[in-house]
Structures are given as structure tokens and as C-alpha cells.
Amino acid sequence: MSATAEAPTTAEPAAETFSERLKAATWSDHTRAEHHGFTKALLDGELSLEGYTAMVAQHYFAYVALERVGRILADDPVAGRFDYPELERVPALEADLAHLLGADWRDRISPTPATRTYVARIEQMTDHPAGFVAHHYTRYMGDVSGGQFIRRIAAKAYDFTDDAGVAFYVFDALGSLPKFRTGYRERLDSLDLDEAAAAFLIQETRLAYQLNTEVLADLGRRHA
Ligand code: HEM
């Protein structure tokens, strides 16, 4: 070998941030949720209003649990980083359900078996703050990303006016959604997690996607 041969490259690749690692490790699960038959019907504007309403009702049970556990963990050093009162979705879901089902909506909805399983897992996260972050990320980052497509498609498909029926997807209090997403990723990156907690958060996010996909599959069997 000549003395002038190129020196081996010693530069390390730029370190991946935690939010990048989380997204990369879970994107295949996202793809499965995104391309599910029920989601496809929704995105194609082909889901019945009854099917859409059933989805909103199942969201209601999941967000009641998410926001209840979030309040319990508001002072936790990890989960409390994601205490964003401006993300709260339960009041919007209540308004959507009143619009879709009428004043007696509470008597007309119940959780499906898949939703009961999902809610039970969210509730277990009261004792696992990093796992709570996983569930928070899976839902709210999805709502401020792909959820914005659903808002437009549903408003058109079901002739909703003034966001009645899609209030769940309206995040006016957040201002710019791209900026919000950047700030959210910065919070993920600033978490002081050891490797075991980081790996748990990633694994729990994969489970959160799977539980969401099962809720959609169940809805698909009933409505799509
Ligand atoms: C309905 C069909 C869906 C569409 C069209 C969609 C689309 C998208 C898009 C365009 C992004 C932004 C990607 C980026 O920032 O590079 C995104 C991000 C995300 N979506 Fe979805 N999505 C859908 C369903 C879902 C579902 C069912 C969930 C979970 C229950 C979900 C959770 C997420 C999360 C957590 C992110 C943030 C990923 C990150 O940047 O770390 N999405 N989605």
C-alpha cells in the first residue's frame, strides 16, 4: 500500500437525536396504522358518517384516559414535560359528539373491546411516566400531523361547517403546527432518560401504534 493512501475515515456520523431515533424505530408501525382499510376509507372520503362518528366516540374514551393520566403525572420530571393544557382534546370531542349524536350522546356510546384494552394500557402508564410519553406522542403528534388531512377530508365528506364535527382536529391555541412539532421534538430530545427508559418509551410507542391499529381494525369490521 502506498504511503499516500487515503487515511481511513474517523469522523463519526452525526449523532441521531432521540426524536429521530423514536420516529425511525416506529415509522413502520405508523405506516401500518396509516394504510389500514378503515383509515383508507376515511382518507378516500368513503367512510359513512356512522363510521366516522363511531371513530370519534372511540377517541373520546382514549382521550379521557390520556388526559386523566396526564393530570396525575403533571409534576413528574419526565411525563410533566408534556403537560400541554392547550392540547386538551376532551372538550372538543364532547362538542363533536353532541353535534354528531345529539344532546344524549353520552348514553349512545360505549368503548369497543379494542378500546377497552387500549384505555387499560394508558391507565397502567400512571406508574410508567416514560410509557405515558409514548402514548402522548403517538396520539397528539399524529393529530397535529396526519390529523390535519382528516380534518379537511371529513369536513368535505360530511358537509360540516364551522368545524362542527371536526373540532377534535382544530388546534388554534397552538399557533403554527410545524413550530409546535419542532418544539415537541425538542422536548423529547431534552428528556433525561437512561437507555432502559429510552428503549421502553420506543417499545411502548410501537405498542401504542398497535393498539390504535386494533381499534381501527375493530371499527373497520363494524363500519368500513
Ligand atoms: C390517517 C392517516 C394518516 C396520515 C395521512 C398520516 C400522516 C402523517 C404525516 C404526513 C406525518 C408527518 C411526518 C413528518 O413529520 O415527517 C405524520 C406524523 C405522525 N403521525 Fe401520522 N398519519 C396518519 C395516521 C396516523 C395514526 C393512525 C397515528 C397514530 C395513532 C399517527 C401518528 C403519527 C405520529 C406520532 C407522527 C409524528 C412522527 C414524528 O414526526 O415523530 N398517524 N403522520
Side-chain angles (χ1 to χ4, degrees), residues 23 30 34 39 43 137-139 142 145-146 150 185 209 212:
K23 185 171 179 178
H30 178 276
E34 183 181 351
T39 322
L43 292 176
Y137 161 81
T138 306
R139 283 303 333 179
S145 306
I150 299 175
R185 291 189 185 108
Y209 273 120
N212 272 278

Side-chain angles (χ1 to χ4, degrees), residues 29-190:
D29 302 285
H30 178 276
T31 305
R32 254 192 297 284
E34 183 181 351
H35 295 295
H36 195 275
F38 183 85
T39 322
K40 189 178 176 314
L42 174 64
L43 292 176
D44 290 345
E46 286 170 2
L47 185 65
S48 65
L49 180 58
E50 187 204 11
Y52 175 79
T53 304
M55 181 184 73
V56 178
Q58 300 313 308
H59 281 156
Y60 173 75
F61 296 108
Y63 282 82
V64 166
L66 263 178
E67 292 176 5
R68 194 179 74 82
V69 175
R71 280 192 292 278
I72 293 170
L73 294 176
D75 295 327
D76 178 85
V78 172
R81 300 280 294 129
F82 296 86
D83 179 26
Y84 283 102
E86 64 275 34
L87 276 181
E88 204 187 0
R89 292 294 88 193
V90 170
L93 285 163
E94 290 175 340
D96 285 340
L97 287 167
H99 177 76
L100 293 162
L101 289 171
D104 62 344
W105 63 270
R106 280 182 202 275
D107 303 329
R108 300 181 58 195
I109 65 171
S110 57
T112 62
T115 295
R116 282 184 213 275
T117 304
Y118 181 27
V119 164
R121 186 66 189 174
I122 292 169
E123 286 175 347
Q124 284 172 6
M125 296 303 107
T126 310
D127 299 322
H128 302 281
F132 171 75
V133 175
H135 286 273
H136 191 280
Y137 161 81
T138 306
R139 283 303 333 179
Y140 295 98
M141 276 292 268
D143 299 333
V144 299
S145 306
Q148 299 306 301
F149 294 101
I150 299 175
R151 173 185 178 178
R152 284 191 291 278
I153 291 164
K156 189 159 175 266
Y158 311 118
D159 282 330
F160 294 143
T161 47
D162 299 331
D163 293 323
V166 283
F168 172 70
Y169 299 105
V170 178
F171 288 95
D172 287 347
L174 297 184
S176 153
L177 295 186
K179 272 196 195 138
F180 174 79
R181 289 196 290 265
T182 302
Y184 193 103
R185 291 189 185 108
E186 283 167 3
R187 288 199 195 188
L188 286 170
D189 294 338
S190 70

